[in-house]
Amino acid sequence: MTDISVIILQKNEALHIKRCLEMLRPLEPRQIFVVESQKGDRTHEIALEMGATTVWHDWPGLYAKQFNWALDNLPIQTKWVLRLD
């Protein structure tokens, strides 16, 4: 297991989230967080089925604000964080 956490910001990505999470497997990240800002498709369910932790946070209007919220509020336990979009 790699000392890395992954943060994925998403909005209705049911079409792509499974493939994205599968592509992370070779990295063996310790934690994967999917931050949702809008519900409306199956992204949440798919991410949970794939072993990710999902959290809800209203969209603050800017990508950087959402990512900084994630850094400040998620229980990240690793030295490194990979941001995926």
Side-chain angles (χ1 to χ4, degrees):
M1 196 168 286
T2 308
D3 192 29
I4 190 168
S5 294
V6 179
I7 297 173
I8 303 169
L9 305 183
Q10 74 84 28
K11 176 183 168 187
N12 292 333
E13 289 293 337
L15 182 63
H16 304 289
I17 194 70
K18 183 176 181 179
R19 185 179 60 224
C20 176
L21 294 170
E22 287 173 343
M23 297 299 287
L24 290 171
R25 284 189 179 147
L27 289 177
E28 297 181 345
R30 189 181 318 166
Q31 301 171 287
I32 301 174
F33 299 99
V34 175
V35 180
E36 300 183 78
S37 62
Q38 181 176 350
K39 296 180 181 179
D41 67 4
R42 291 197 64 248
T43 304
H44 174 81
E45 292 84 2
I46 295 167
L48 288 176
E49 291 168 5
M50 298 291 295
T53 300
T54 63
V55 296
W56 172 264
H57 186 256
D58 285 326
W59 182 251
L62 292 172
Y63 186 92
K65 285 185 179 181
Q66 187 77 324
F67 184 67
N68 285 331
W69 175 89
L71 288 174
D72 292 338
N73 293 280
L74 295 176
I76 297 168
Q77 302 171 358
T78 58
K79 181 177 179 179
W80 299 98
V81 175
L82 173 65
R83 175 188 66 171
L84 290 181
D85 179 21

Coordinates of all heavy atoms in Angstrom, one line a residue:
M1 N 0.8 -1.2 0.0 CA 0.0 0.0 0.0 C 0.9 1.2 0.0 O 1.8 1.3 0.8 CB -0.9 0.0 1.2 CG -2.1 0.9 1.1 SD -3.3 0.7 2.4 CE -4.1 -0.8 1.8
T2 N 0.6 2.2 -0.8 CA 1.3 3.4 -1.0 C 0.9 4.5 0.0 O -0.3 4.6 0.3 CB 1.2 3.9 -2.4 OG1 1.5 2.9 -3.3 CG2 2.1 5.1 -2.7
D3 N 1.8 5.3 0.5 CA 1.4 6.3 1.5 C 0.9 7.5 0.7 O 1.5 8.6 0.7 CB 2.7 6.7 2.3 CG 2.3 7.6 3.5 OD1 1.2 7.5 4.0 OD2 3.2 8.4 3.9
I4 N -0.3 7.3 0.1 CA -0.9 8.3 -0.7 C -2.4 8.2 -0.6 O -3.0 7.2 -0.5 CB -0.5 8.2 -2.2 CG1 -0.9 9.5 -3.0 CG2 -1.0 7.0 -2.9 CD1 -0.3 9.6 -4.4
S5 N -3.0 9.4 -0.5 CA -4.5 9.5 -0.6 C -4.9 10.2 -1.9 O -4.1 11.0 -2.4 CB -5.0 10.4 0.6 OG -4.8 9.8 1.8
V6 N -6.0 9.8 -2.3 CA -6.5 10.4 -3.6 C -7.8 11.2 -3.3 O -8.7 10.7 -2.6 CB -6.8 9.3 -4.7 CG1 -7.3 10.0 -5.9 CG2 -5.5 8.5 -4.9
I7 N -7.9 12.4 -3.8 CA -9.1 13.2 -3.7 C -9.7 13.4 -5.1 O -9.0 13.9 -6.0 CB -8.9 14.5 -3.0 CG1 -8.4 14.4 -1.6 CG2 -10.2 15.4 -3.1 CD1 -8.0 15.6 -0.9
I8 N -10.9 13.0 -5.3 CA -11.6 13.2 -6.6 C -12.8 14.1 -6.4 O -13.7 13.7 -5.6 CB -12.0 11.8 -7.2 CG1 -10.9 10.9 -7.3 CG2 -12.7 12.0 -8.5 CD1 -11.2 9.4 -7.7
L9 N -12.8 15.2 -7.0 CA -14.0 16.1 -7.0 C -14.8 15.7 -8.1 O -14.4 15.6 -9.2 CB -13.5 17.6 -7.1 CG -12.5 18.1 -6.0 CD1 -12.3 19.6 -6.3 CD2 -12.9 17.8 -4.6
Q10 N -16.1 15.6 -7.8 CA -17.0 15.1 -8.9 C -18.4 15.7 -8.9 O -18.8 16.2 -7.9 CB -17.1 13.6 -8.9 CG -18.0 13.0 -7.8 CD -19.5 13.0 -8.2 OE1 -19.8 12.9 -9.3 NE2 -20.3 13.1 -7.2
K11 N -19.0 15.7 -10.0 CA -20.4 16.1 -10.2 C -21.0 15.3 -11.3 O -20.6 15.4 -12.5 CB -20.4 17.6 -10.6 CG -21.8 18.1 -10.9 CD -21.7 19.6 -11.3 CE -23.0 20.0 -11.9 NZ -22.9 21.4 -12.5
N12 N -21.8 14.3 -10.9 CA -22.5 13.4 -11.9 C -21.5 12.8 -12.8 O -21.6 13.0 -14.0 CB -23.6 14.2 -12.6 CG -24.7 14.6 -11.8 OD1 -25.0 14.0 -10.8 ND2 -25.4 15.7 -12.1
E13 N -20.7 11.9 -12.3 CA -19.6 11.2 -13.0 C -19.9 9.7 -13.1 O -18.9 9.0 -13.2 CB -18.2 11.5 -12.5 CG -17.8 12.9 -12.7 CD -17.5 13.3 -14.2 OE1 -17.3 12.3 -15.0 OE2 -17.6 14.4 -14.6
A14 N -21.1 9.3 -13.0 CA -21.4 7.8 -13.0 C -20.8 7.2 -14.3 O -20.3 6.0 -14.2 CB -22.9 7.6 -13.0
L15 N -20.7 7.9 -15.4 CA -20.2 7.3 -16.6 C -18.7 7.0 -16.5 O -18.2 6.0 -17.1 CB -20.4 8.2 -17.8 CG -20.0 7.8 -19.2 CD1 -20.7 6.5 -19.6 CD2 -20.2 8.9 -20.2
H16 N -18.0 7.8 -15.7 CA -16.5 7.6 -15.7 C -15.9 7.2 -14.4 O -14.7 6.8 -14.3 CB -15.9 9.0 -16.0 CG -16.3 9.6 -17.3 ND1 -16.0 9.0 -18.5 CD2 -17.2 10.6 -17.6 CE1 -16.5 9.7 -19.5 NE2 -17.3 10.7 -18.9
I17 N -16.6 7.2 -13.2 CA -16.0 7.0 -11.9 C -15.4 5.6 -11.8 O -14.4 5.5 -11.2 CB -17.0 7.4 -10.8 CG1 -16.2 7.5 -9.5 CG2 -18.1 6.4 -10.7 CD1 -15.3 8.7 -9.4
K18 N -16.1 4.6 -12.3 CA -15.6 3.2 -12.1 C -14.3 3.1 -12.8 O -13.3 2.6 -12.3 CB -16.6 2.2 -12.7 CG -16.2 0.8 -12.5 CD -17.2 -0.2 -12.9 CE -16.7 -1.6 -12.6 NZ -17.7 -2.6 -13.0
R19 N -14.2 3.6 -14.0 CA -12.9 3.5 -14.8 C -11.8 4.3 -14.1 O -10.7 3.8 -14.0 CB -13.1 4.0 -16.2 CG -11.9 3.8 -17.1 CD -12.1 4.3 -18.5 NE -12.5 5.7 -18.5 CZ -13.4 6.2 -19.2 NH1 -14.2 5.5 -20.0 NH2 -13.7 7.5 -19.1
C20 N -12.1 5.4 -13.6 CA -11.2 6.2 -12.8 C -10.6 5.5 -11.6 O -9.4 5.4 -11.4 CB -11.8 7.5 -12.4 SG -10.8 8.6 -11.4
L21 N -11.5 4.9 -10.8 CA -11.1 4.2 -9.7 C -10.3 2.9 -10.0 O -9.3 2.6 -9.3 CB -12.3 3.8 -8.8 CG -13.0 5.0 -8.2 CD1 -14.3 4.6 -7.6 CD2 -12.1 5.8 -7.2
E22 N -10.7 2.3 -11.1 CA -9.9 1.1 -11.5 C -8.5 1.4 -11.9 O -7.6 0.7 -11.7 CB -10.6 0.4 -12.7 CG -11.9 -0.4 -12.3 CD -12.7 -0.9 -13.4 OE1 -12.5 -0.5 -14.6 OE2 -13.5 -1.8 -13.2
M23 N -8.3 2.6 -12.6 CA -7.0 3.0 -13.0 C -6.1 3.4 -11.8 O -4.9 3.4 -11.9 CB -7.1 4.3 -13.9 CG -7.9 4.0 -15.2 SD -7.1 2.7 -16.2 CE -5.7 3.6 -16.8
L24 N -6.7 3.6 -10.6 CA -5.9 3.9 -9.4 C -5.3 2.6 -8.8 O -4.4 2.7 -8.0 CB -6.7 4.6 -8.4 CG -7.1 6.1 -8.8 CD1 -8.1 6.6 -7.8 CD2 -5.8 6.9 -8.8
R25 N -5.9 1.5 -9.1 CA -5.5 0.2 -8.4 C -4.0 0.0 -8.4 O -3.4 -0.4 -7.4 CB -6.2 -1.0 -9.0 CG -7.6 -1.0 -8.5 CD -8.3 -2.3 -8.9 NE -9.6 -2.3 -8.4 CZ -10.6 -2.9 -9.0 NH1 -10.5 -3.5 -10.2 NH2 -11.8 -2.9 -8.5
P26 N -3.3 0.2 -9.5 CA -1.8 -0.1 -9.5 C -1.0 0.8 -8.5 O 0.0 0.5 -8.1 CB -1.4 0.2 -11.0 CG -2.6 0.0 -11.8 CD -3.7 0.5 -10.9
L27 N -1.6 2.0 -8.2 CA -0.9 2.9 -7.2 C -1.1 2.4 -5.8 O -0.3 2.8 -4.9 CB -1.5 4.3 -7.3 CG -1.2 5.1 -8.5 CD1 -1.9 6.5 -8.5 CD2 0.3 5.4 -8.7
E28 N -2.1 1.6 -5.6 CA -2.4 1.1 -4.2 C -2.5 2.2 -3.2 O -1.8 2.2 -2.2 CB -1.4 0.0 -3.8 CG -1.4 -1.2 -4.7 CD -0.4 -2.2 -4.2 OE1 0.5 -1.9 -3.3 OE2 -0.5 -3.4 -4.6
P29 N -3.3 3.2 -3.5 CA -3.5 4.3 -2.5 C -4.1 3.8 -1.2 O -4.9 2.9 -1.2 CB -4.4 5.3 -3.2 CG -5.2 4.5 -4.2 CD -4.3 3.4 -4.6
R30 N -3.7 4.4 -0.1 CA -4.2 4.0 1.2 C -5.7 4.5 1.3 O -6.5 3.8 2.0 CB -3.4 4.6 2.3 CG -3.8 4.0 3.6 CD -3.1 4.5 4.8 NE -1.7 4.6 4.7 CZ -0.9 5.3 5.5 NH1 -1.4 5.9 6.6 NH2 0.4 5.4 5.3
Q31 N -6.0 5.7 0.8 CA -7.3 6.2 0.9 C -7.7 6.8 -0.4 O -6.9 7.5 -1.1 CB -7.3 7.4 2.0 CG -6.9 6.9 3.4 CD -6.7 8.1 4.3 OE1 -5.8 8.9 4.1 NE2 -7.7 8.3 5.2
I32 N -9.0 6.7 -0.7 CA -9.6 7.4 -1.9 C -10.9 8.1 -1.4 O -11.8 7.4 -0.9 CB -9.9 6.4 -3.0 CG1 -8.7 5.7 -3.5 CG2 -10.6 7.1 -4.2 CD1 -9.0 4.6 -4.5
F33 N -10.9 9.4 -1.6 CA -12.1 10.2 -1.3 C -12.7 10.7 -2.5 O -12.1 11.3 -3.4 CB -11.7 11.4 -0.4 CG -11.1 11.0 0.9 CD1 -9.7 11.0 1.1 CD2 -11.8 10.6 2.0 CE1 -9.1 10.6 2.3 CE2 -11.3 10.2 3.2 CZ -9.9 10.2 3.3
V34 N -14.0 10.5 -2.6 CA -14.8 11.1 -3.7 C -15.7 12.2 -3.1 O -16.5 11.9 -2.2 CB -15.7 10.1 -4.5 CG1 -16.6 10.7 -5.5 CG2 -14.8 9.0 -5.1
V35 N -15.4 13.4 -3.5 CA -16.2 14.6 -2.9 C -17.3 14.9 -3.9 O -17.0 15.4 -5.0 CB -15.3 15.8 -2.6 CG1 -16.1 16.9 -2.0 CG2 -14.1 15.4 -1.7
E36 N -18.5 14.7 -3.4 CA -19.7 15.0 -4.3 C -20.2 16.4 -4.0 O -20.2 16.8 -2.9 CB -20.8 14.0 -4.0 CG -20.4 12.6 -4.3 CD -21.5 11.6 -4.0 OE1 -22.4 11.6 -4.9 OE2 -21.6 11.0 -3.0
S37 N -20.6 17.1 -5.1 CA -21.2 18.4 -4.9 C -22.6 18.4 -5.5 O -23.3 19.5 -5.4 CB -20.4 19.4 -5.5 OG -20.2 19.2 -6.9
Q38 N -23.1 17.4 -6.2 CA -24.4 17.3 -6.8 C -24.8 15.9 -6.9 O -24.1 15.1 -7.4 CB -24.4 18.0 -8.1 CG -25.8 18.0 -8.7 CD -25.9 18.8 -10.0 OE1 -24.9 19.4 -10.4 NE2 -27.0 18.6 -10.7
K39 N -26.0 15.6 -6.4 CA -26.5 14.3 -6.6 C -27.5 14.2 -7.8 O -28.1 15.2 -8.1 CB -27.3 13.8 -5.3 CG -26.3 13.8 -4.1 CD -27.0 13.3 -2.9 CE -26.0 13.3 -1.7 NZ -26.5 13.0 -0.5
G40 N -27.6 13.1 -8.4 CA -28.5 13.0 -9.5 C -28.2 11.8 -10.4 O -29.0 11.5 -11.3
D41 N -27.1 11.1 -10.1 CA -26.8 9.9 -10.8 C -26.3 8.9 -9.8 O -26.4 9.1 -8.6 CB -25.8 10.1 -12.0 CG -24.4 10.5 -11.6 OD1 -24.1 10.6 -10.4 OD2 -23.6 10.8 -12.5
R42 N -25.6 7.8 -10.3 CA -25.2 6.7 -9.4 C -23.7 6.8 -9.0 O -23.2 5.9 -8.5 CB -25.4 5.4 -10.2 CG -26.9 5.0 -10.3 CD -27.1 3.5 -10.7 NE -26.6 2.7 -9.5 CZ -25.5 1.9 -9.6 NH1 -24.8 1.8 -10.6 NH2 -25.2 1.2 -8.5
T43 N -23.1 8.0 -9.1 CA -21.7 8.1 -8.8 C -21.5 7.6 -7.4 O -20.5 6.9 -7.1 CB -21.2 9.6 -9.0 OG1 -21.5 10.0 -10.3 CG2 -19.8 9.7 -8.7
H44 N -22.3 8.1 -6.5 CA -22.1 7.7 -5.0 C -22.1 6.2 -4.8 O -21.2 5.7 -4.2 CB -23.2 8.4 -4.2 CG -23.3 8.0 -2.8 ND1 -22.4 8.6 -1.9 CD2 -24.0 7.1 -2.1 CE1 -22.7 8.0 -0.7 NE2 -23.6 7.1 -0.8
E45 N -23.1 5.6 -5.4 CA -23.2 4.1 -5.2 C -22.0 3.4 -5.9 O -21.4 2.4 -5.3 CB -24.5 3.6 -5.8 CG -25.7 4.0 -5.0 CD -26.2 5.4 -5.4 OE1 -25.6 6.0 -6.3 OE2 -27.2 5.8 -4.8
I46 N -21.6 3.8 -7.0 CA -20.5 3.2 -7.8 C -19.2 3.3 -7.0 O -18.4 2.4 -6.8 CB -20.4 3.7 -9.2 CG1 -21.6 3.3 -10.0 CG2 -19.1 3.2 -9.8 CD1 -21.7 4.1 -11.3
A47 N -19.0 4.6 -6.5 CA -17.7 4.8 -5.7 C -17.7 4.0 -4.5 O -16.6 3.4 -4.1 CB -17.6 6.3 -5.4
L48 N -18.8 3.8 -3.8 CA -18.8 3.0 -2.6 C -18.6 1.5 -2.9 O -17.8 0.8 -2.2 CB -20.2 3.1 -1.9 CG -20.5 4.4 -1.1 CD1 -21.9 4.4 -0.6 CD2 -19.4 4.6 0.0
E49 N -19.2 1.0 -4.0 CA -18.9 -0.3 -4.5 C -17.5 -0.6 -4.8 O -17.0 -1.7 -4.6 CB -19.8 -0.6 -5.7 CG -21.3 -0.7 -5.4 CD -22.1 -0.7 -6.7 OE1 -21.6 -0.8 -7.8 OE2 -23.4 -0.7 -6.5
M50 N -16.8 0.4 -5.2 CA -15.4 0.3 -5.6 C -14.4 0.5 -4.4 O -13.2 0.5 -4.6 CB -15.1 1.3 -6.7 CG -15.8 1.1 -8.0 SD -15.4 -0.4 -8.9 CE -13.7 0.0 -9.3
G51 N -15.0 0.8 -3.2 CA -14.2 0.9 -2.0 C -13.8 2.3 -1.7 O -13.0 2.5 -0.7
A52 N -14.3 3.3 -2.4 CA -13.9 4.7 -2.1 C -14.8 5.2 -0.9 O -15.9 4.7 -0.6 CB -14.1 5.6 -3.3
T53 N -14.3 6.2 -0.2 CA -15.1 6.9 0.8 C -15.7 8.1 0.1 O -15.0 8.9 -0.6 CB -14.1 7.4 1.9 OG1 -13.5 6.3 2.5 CG2 -14.9 8.2 2.9
T54 N -17.0 8.3 0.2 CA -17.7 9.4 -0.4 C -18.1 10.4 0.6 O -18.6 10.0 1.7 CB -18.9 9.0 -1.3 OG1 -19.8 8.4 -0.4 CG2 -18.4 8.0 -2.4
V55 N -18.0 11.7 0.3 CA -18.5 12.7 1.2 C -19.2 13.8 0.4 O -18.9 13.9 -0.8 CB -17.3 13.4 2.0 CG1 -16.6 12.4 2.9 CG2 -16.3 14.0 1.0
W56 N -20.1 14.5 1.0 CA -20.9 15.5 0.4 C -20.4 16.9 0.9 O -20.2 17.1 2.1 CB -22.4 15.4 0.7 CG -23.2 16.5 0.2 CD1 -23.6 17.6 0.9 CD2 -23.7 16.7 -1.1 NE1 -24.3 18.4 0.2 CE2 -24.4 17.9 -1.1 CE3 -23.6 15.9 -2.3 CZ2 -25.0 18.4 -2.2 CZ3 -24.2 16.4 -3.4 CH2 -24.9 17.6 -3.4
H57 N -20.2 17.8 -0.1 CA -19.9 19.2 0.3 C -20.5 20.1 -0.8 O -20.1 19.9 -2.0 CB -18.4 19.4 0.5 CG -18.1 20.8 0.9 ND1 -17.7 21.8 0.1 CD2 -18.3 21.4 2.2 CE1 -17.5 22.9 0.8 NE2 -17.9 22.7 2.1
D58 N -21.4 21.0 -0.5 CA -21.9 21.9 -1.5 C -20.8 22.6 -2.2 O -19.8 23.0 -1.7 CB -22.8 23.0 -0.8 CG -24.1 22.4 -0.3 OD1 -24.7 21.5 -1.0 OD2 -24.6 22.9 0.7
W59 N -21.1 22.8 -3.5 CA -20.1 23.4 -4.4 C -19.9 24.9 -4.0 O -20.9 25.7 -4.0 CB -20.6 23.4 -5.8 CG -19.6 24.0 -6.8 CD1 -19.8 25.1 -7.5 CD2 -18.3 23.4 -7.2 NE1 -18.7 25.4 -8.3 CE2 -17.8 24.3 -8.1 CE3 -17.6 22.3 -6.8 CZ2 -16.5 24.1 -8.7 CZ3 -16.4 22.1 -7.4 CH2 -15.8 23.0 -8.3
P60 N -18.7 25.3 -3.6 CA -18.5 26.7 -3.2 C -18.3 27.7 -4.3 O -18.0 28.9 -4.1 CB -17.2 26.6 -2.3 CG -16.5 25.4 -2.9 CD -17.5 24.5 -3.4
G61 N -18.3 27.2 -5.5 CA -18.2 28.1 -6.7 C -16.9 28.1 -7.4 O -16.8 28.5 -8.5
L62 N -15.9 27.6 -6.7 CA -14.5 27.5 -7.3 C -13.9 26.1 -7.0 O -14.0 25.6 -5.9 CB -13.6 28.6 -6.8 CG -13.9 30.0 -7.2 CD1 -13.0 31.0 -6.4 CD2 -13.7 30.2 -8.7
Y63 N -13.2 25.6 -8.0 CA -12.6 24.3 -7.8 C -11.6 24.3 -6.7 O -11.5 23.4 -5.9 CB -11.9 23.9 -9.2 CG -11.3 22.5 -9.2 CD1 -12.0 21.4 -9.6 CD2 -10.0 22.3 -8.7 CE1 -11.5 20.2 -9.6 CE2 -9.5 21.0 -8.7 CZ -10.2 20.0 -9.2 OH -9.7 18.7 -9.2
A64 N -10.8 25.4 -6.6 CA -9.7 25.5 -5.6 C -10.3 25.5 -4.2 O -9.8 24.9 -3.3 CB -8.9 26.7 -5.8
K65 N -11.5 26.2 -4.0 CA -12.1 26.2 -2.7 C -12.6 24.8 -2.3 O -12.5 24.4 -1.2 CB -13.3 27.2 -2.7 CG -12.9 28.6 -2.7 CD -14.1 29.5 -2.6 CE -13.7 31.0 -2.5 NZ -14.8 31.9 -2.4
Q66 N -13.2 24.1 -3.3 CA -13.6 22.7 -3.0 C -12.5 21.8 -2.6 O -12.5 21.0 -1.7 CB -14.4 22.2 -4.2 CG -15.1 20.8 -3.9 CD -16.4 21.0 -3.1 OE1 -16.5 21.8 -2.2 NE2 -17.3 20.1 -3.5
F67 N -11.4 21.9 -3.3 CA -10.2 21.1 -3.0 C -9.6 21.5 -1.7 O -9.3 20.6 -0.9 CB -9.2 21.2 -4.2 CG -8.0 20.3 -3.9 CD1 -8.1 18.9 -4.0 CD2 -6.8 20.8 -3.6 CE1 -7.1 18.1 -3.8 CE2 -5.7 20.0 -3.4 CZ -5.8 18.6 -3.5
N68 N -9.5 22.8 -1.4 CA -9.0 23.2 -0.1 C -9.9 22.7 1.0 O -9.4 22.4 2.1 CB -8.8 24.7 -0.1 CG -7.5 25.1 -0.9 OD1 -6.6 24.3 -1.0 ND2 -7.6 26.3 -1.4
W69 N -11.2 22.8 0.8 CA -12.1 22.2 1.8 C -11.8 20.8 2.1 O -11.7 20.3 3.2 CB -13.6 22.4 1.4 CG -14.5 21.8 2.4 CD1 -15.0 22.3 3.5 CD2 -14.9 20.4 2.4 NE1 -15.8 21.4 4.2 CE2 -15.7 20.2 3.5 CE3 -14.7 19.3 1.6 CZ2 -16.3 19.0 3.9 CZ3 -15.3 18.1 1.9 CH2 -16.1 17.9 3.0
A70 N -11.6 20.0 1.0 CA -11.3 18.6 1.2 C -10.0 18.4 2.0 O -9.9 17.6 2.9 CB -11.2 17.9 -0.2
L71 N -9.0 19.2 1.6 CA -7.7 19.0 2.4 C -7.9 19.4 3.9 O -7.2 18.7 4.7 CB -6.6 20.0 1.8 CG -6.1 19.6 0.4 CD1 -5.2 20.7 -0.1 CD2 -5.3 18.3 0.5
D72 N -8.7 20.4 4.2 CA -8.9 20.8 5.5 C -9.8 19.9 6.3 O -9.7 19.9 7.6 CB -9.4 22.2 5.6 CG -8.4 23.3 5.1 OD1 -7.2 22.9 5.1 OD2 -8.8 24.4 4.7
N73 N -10.7 19.2 5.7 CA -11.8 18.5 6.4 C -11.8 17.0 6.3 O -12.5 16.3 7.1 CB -13.1 19.1 6.0 CG -13.3 20.5 6.4 OD1 -13.6 20.8 7.5 ND2 -13.0 21.4 5.5
L74 N -11.1 16.4 5.3 CA -11.2 15.0 5.2 C -10.1 14.3 6.2 O -9.1 15.0 6.5 CB -10.8 14.6 3.8 CG -11.9 15.0 2.7 CD1 -11.4 14.6 1.3 CD2 -13.2 14.4 3.1
P75 N -10.4 13.1 6.6 CA -9.4 12.5 7.6 C -8.2 11.9 6.8 O -8.0 10.6 6.8 CB -10.3 11.4 8.2 CG -11.3 11.1 7.2 CD -11.6 12.3 6.5
I76 N -7.5 12.7 6.2 CA -6.3 12.3 5.4 C -5.2 11.8 6.4 O -4.9 12.5 7.3 CB -5.8 13.4 4.5 CG1 -6.9 13.7 3.5 CG2 -4.5 13.0 3.8 CD1 -6.7 15.0 2.7
Q77 N -4.7 10.6 6.1 CA -3.7 10.0 7.0 C -2.4 9.7 6.3 O -1.6 8.9 6.8 CB -4.3 8.7 7.7 CG -5.6 9.0 8.4 CD -6.2 7.7 8.8 OE1 -5.7 6.6 8.5 NE2 -7.3 7.8 9.6
T78 N -2.2 10.3 5.2 CA -1.0 10.0 4.4 C -0.1 11.2 4.2 O -0.6 12.4 4.4 CB -1.4 9.4 3.0 OG1 -2.2 10.4 2.3 CG2 -2.1 8.1 3.1
K79 N 1.1 11.0 3.8 CA 2.1 12.1 3.6 C 1.7 12.8 2.3 O 1.9 14.0 2.1 CB 3.5 11.5 3.6 CG 4.5 12.5 3.3 CD 5.9 11.9 3.4 CE 7.0 12.9 3.1 NZ 8.3 12.3 3.2
W80 N 1.2 12.0 1.3 CA 1.0 12.5 0.0 C -0.5 12.5 -0.4 O -1.2 11.6 0.0 CB 1.8 11.7 -1.1 CG 3.3 11.8 -0.9 CD1 4.0 10.8 -0.2 CD2 4.1 12.8 -1.2 NE1 5.3 11.2 -0.2 CE2 5.4 12.5 -0.8 CE3 4.0 14.0 -1.9 CZ2 6.5 13.3 -1.1 CZ3 5.1 14.8 -2.1 CH2 6.3 14.4 -1.7
V81 N -0.9 13.5 -1.2 CA -2.3 13.6 -1.7 C -2.2 13.8 -3.2 O -1.5 14.7 -3.7 CB -3.0 14.7 -1.0 CG1 -4.4 14.9 -1.6 CG2 -3.1 14.5 0.5
L82 N -3.0 13.0 -3.9 CA -3.1 13.1 -5.4 C -4.5 13.6 -5.7 O -5.5 13.1 -5.2 CB -2.9 11.7 -6.0 CG -3.2 11.6 -7.5 CD1 -2.2 12.5 -8.3 CD2 -3.2 10.2 -8.0
R83 N -4.5 14.7 -6.4 CA -5.8 15.3 -6.8 C -6.2 14.9 -8.2 O -5.4 15.0 -9.1 CB -5.7 16.8 -6.8 CG -6.9 17.6 -7.2 CD -6.6 19.0 -7.3 NE -5.7 19.2 -8.4 CZ -5.4 20.4 -8.9 NH1 -5.9 21.5 -8.4 NH2 -4.5 20.6 -9.9
L84 N -7.4 14.4 -8.4 CA -7.8 14.0 -9.7 C -9.1 14.8 -10.0 O -9.9 15.0 -9.2 CB -8.2 12.5 -9.7 CG -7.0 11.5 -9.7 CD1 -7.5 10.1 -9.8 CD2 -6.0 11.8 -10.7
D85 N -9.2 15.1 -11.3 CA -10.3 15.8 -11.8 C -10.9 15.1 -13.0 O -10.2 14.7 -13.9 CB -9.8 17.2 -12.2 CG -11.0 18.1 -12.8 OD1 -12.1 17.8 -12.5 OD2 -10.7 19.0 -13.5

